[in-house]
Amino acid sequence: MNILPITKNALVLSLVCIVTMGFFIGGMLEVLDYFIIKVLLFGSYGVLLFLAIKYALKNDIKKNRPEDKFQDDSH
C-alpha cells in the first residue's frame, strides 16, 4: 500500500519544484555564494537532467493505428 502514489509526472514536478524553490530561497537569503549550496543545487539539477535524459531514451513511440489495417486519409 502506497501512502503517496508517485507517478513519473509527479516525480518530475516535485524535483523541478524543489530545484526552483532552492534557487529562489537561496537567492533571497544570499547564500548562493557558499560552495556547499552551489553543490547541492547544481547536483539536484544534474540529477533532474539525468532522469529526463534517461526517460527520453526509454520512451517508446505509440502508434494509434494498427499496421495491418490501412486507412485512406486523403479526404
Side-chain angles (χ1 to χ4, degrees), residues 33-67:
D33 291 335
Y34 299 135
F35 179 72
I36 191 70
I37 301 296
K38 287 181 184 179
V39 169
L40 287 173
L41 288 175
F42 285 112
S44 59
Y45 177 74
V47 168
L48 179 64
L49 188 63
F50 172 75
L51 289 175
I53 290 172
K54 180 181 169 185
Y55 178 71
L57 292 176
K58 191 173 72 169
N59 196 6
D60 294 330
I61 297 174
K62 293 182 181 179
K63 294 187 177 183
N64 292 332
R65 192 176 299 163
E67 292 290 328

Side-chain angles (χ1 to χ4, degrees), residues 5-17 48 55:
I6 297 191
T7 62
K8 292 178 185 176
N9 290 339
L11 181 65
V12 171
L13 285 173
S14 299
L15 286 173
V16 168
C17 182
L48 179 64
Y55 178 71

